[in-house]
Amino acid sequence: MLRFALRRALSTVVVLWAISVMVFLIFFGTPGVDPALRIAGRDASPQVVATVRHEYGLDKPLPVRYALMMYHLLIRRDITSYVNPGLKVVPEIASAVPVTLSLVIGAAVIWMLVGLAMGLVGGALRGSPIDPLLTAVGVLGVSLPVYWLGEVVNLITQSRLHGSLFSWVPPPGYVSPAQSLSGWALHLLFPWLTLAVLYAGIYSRVFRAELVTALGEDYVRTARAKGISERRVLFRHAARCSLIPVISLFGLDFGALVGGGALVTEVVFGLPGIGLLTYNSLQTLDLPVIMGTVLYAAFFVVLANAVVDVFYAALDPRVRRA
């Protein structure tokens, strides 16, 4: 198990390095792309562009520029924005990380609890009237766009019914838990619920399908023939094996959301997280910020996949030999 984990850690480092090289080449090595023109401004003279190119090290060979950027981004952590020279990239990302983590972790707890509960009940009671009802609820959750649902929630809680039923709901924004734990939870309550609706529907359907398949396998029939109780068969055998694809899916979703995939939710509810920071940097083509946010996102996606592989190996020892 330790060798498997170390192997996954090494592959994580290699993948992150490859992503950093690829992203750097896309923005700096593509023919015709000159960041100096963007920094100097639209009407800058050739002399000003040449000066900017020299000051930012953009006149050096690509390998040297890549090494310098990674050194200032990852080692010294003093690289600054091209659009706002006084803004340091790493502190800006560090200030946005707690917002995104707070949003995604809270929503993940909700969607896992609700989704797995719905899938478990639907799979255990397949064929009963409850099963199609839960399926319909899951399909409804998957079908509701996050941006539309978020706007509807804001319309109800901030405008239409704010003076009566939802007077306790604070305006969109973010409050650090260090300032006020209750304020932090109140600001994130509806963003959590909005983001969780979609994923709860997805996870309930995936878990139910896997559970129904597992309940028809030979090992489940053998367990029943041995006289094991239906409850133990459901939880100890069928549900445990059905969790493997759910864990894999969760790793991909969690890593993508922490890496900035919750952009729409952050924009709708005014949360200054990684997704919003990435979006703003792409709008202005702020290359150092883009590099930083992309590497941050890649780290969490690759790390989540590595952690999922380790859990997968713990649940199924055959994976360790792969």
Side-chain angles (χ1 to χ4, degrees):
M1 187 67 185
L2 180 60
R3 289 184 59 189
F4 179 84
L6 291 175
R7 207 161 61 238
R8 285 294 177 269
L10 179 61
S11 65
T12 298
V13 175
V14 174
V15 170
L16 288 174
W17 171 79
I19 291 174
S20 69
V21 172
M22 182 177 64
V23 173
F24 177 82
L25 291 177
I26 289 174
F27 288 105
F28 290 90
T30 304
V33 174
D34 189 358
L37 294 175
R38 183 79 178 184
I39 301 170
R42 184 175 302 175
D43 300 324
S45 64
Q47 292 79 9
V48 172
V49 173
T51 302
V52 169
R53 190 178 291 115
H54 177 72
E55 288 180 354
Y56 282 87
L58 299 174
D59 54 350
K60 294 181 172 59
L62 276 177
V64 177
R65 288 158 61 185
Y66 169 79
L68 287 174
M69 175 162 280
M70 292 300 104
Y71 172 72
H72 286 285
L73 182 62
L74 302 177
I75 306 300
R76 295 193 60 178
R77 294 178 292 179
D78 60 352
I79 192 169
T80 58
S81 164
Y82 285 172
V83 177
N84 301 306
L87 185 143
K88 291 189 176 182
V89 174
V90 175
E92 190 71 13
I93 294 176
S95 66
V97 169
V99 182
T100 299
L101 283 177
S102 298
L103 171 64
V104 176
I105 291 175
V109 171
I110 296 173
W111 89 57
M112 287 296 286
L113 291 176
V114 175
L116 293 182
M118 289 173 58
L120 183 64
V121 173
L125 301 179
R126 63 194 183 282
S128 69
I130 297 179
D131 185 21
L133 178 61
L134 291 176
T135 300
V137 172
V139 172
L140 179 64
V142 173
S143 305
L144 292 176
V146 174
Y147 64 88
W148 177 85
L149 183 60
E151 290 293 353
V152 170
V153 168
N154 276 337
L155 179 65
I156 294 174
T157 60
Q158 300 294 332
S159 179
R160 298 294 175 83
L161 300 178
H162 182 72
S164 54
L165 293 178
F166 297 101
S167 58
W168 51 272
V169 179
Y174 179 77
V175 173
S176 170
Q179 293 178 327
S180 172
L181 189 59
S182 60
W184 170 81
L186 285 176
H187 277 84
L188 288 173
L189 176 60
F190 286 102
W192 284 340
L193 296 175
T194 301
L195 186 59
V197 165
L198 168 65
Y199 290 95
I202 295 174
Y203 281 67
S204 66
R205 300 205 61 183
V206 171
F207 188 50
R208 180 200 173 279
E210 293 294 330
L211 190 62
V212 169
T213 302
L215 289 171
E217 295 291 340
D218 291 338
Y219 68 89
V220 171
R221 285 194 289 267
T222 301
R224 286 171 175 157
K226 290 180 178 180
I228 299 177
S229 66
E230 188 65 26
R231 181 177 179 180
R232 186 176 181 185
V233 168
L234 178 64
F235 287 97
R236 184 72 179 271
H237 298 280
R240 180 179 179 182
C241 293
S242 301
L243 281 174
I244 293 177
V246 173
I247 291 175
S248 300
L249 181 63
F250 177 78
L252 294 173
D253 289 337
F254 186 83
L257 287 172
V258 172
L263 165 65
V264 175
T265 308
E266 292 178 0
V267 171
V268 170
F269 290 99
L271 301 174
I274 289 294
L276 188 58
L277 178 63
T278 305
Y279 175 77
N280 291 335
S281 64
L282 287 172
Q283 290 290 98
T284 58
L285 201 61
D286 196 347
L287 297 182
V289 181
I290 293 173
M291 284 290 299
T293 54
V294 168
L295 286 179
Y296 161 85
F299 170 77
F300 272 99
V301 171
V302 175
L303 178 64
N305 279 273
V307 172
V308 165
D309 287 343
V310 173
F311 274 107
Y312 202 118
L315 291 173
D316 189 352
R318 294 173 296 178
V319 178
R320 304 172 196 173
R321 298 189 292 270

